[in-house]
Amino acid sequence: MPDVFWIGLTLAVAIFLIGVISGARSRTASLRSGAAMGAYLGLMFAFPLLAIGVATS
């Protein structure tokens, strides 16, 4: 896999972890909703890099 794919994957995982941490620390949200929000935003943000990495492999 090209480096672009791994950059996108790392970015998606980092945003997911930020969502999990923020959901766990929130008084009104839960860990599950933070994880869902982080997974969605991470995938949407990193999708172009992931798609380019898969397409050029």
Side-chain angles (χ1 to χ4, degrees):
M1 289 284 177
D3 290 339
V4 175
F5 175 80
W6 297 112
I7 292 169
L9 187 65
T10 304
L11 194 60
V13 169
I15 293 172
F16 171 74
L17 290 176
I18 290 170
V20 167
I21 292 168
S22 65
R25 292 183 49 89
S26 175
R27 291 180 190 229
T28 57
S30 65
L31 181 110
R32 186 180 302 176
S33 66
M37 180 183 63
Y40 177 76
L41 291 176
L43 185 64
M44 290 297 120
F45 188 69
F47 181 76
L49 296 174
L50 294 171
I52 291 170
V54 169
T56 58
S57 65

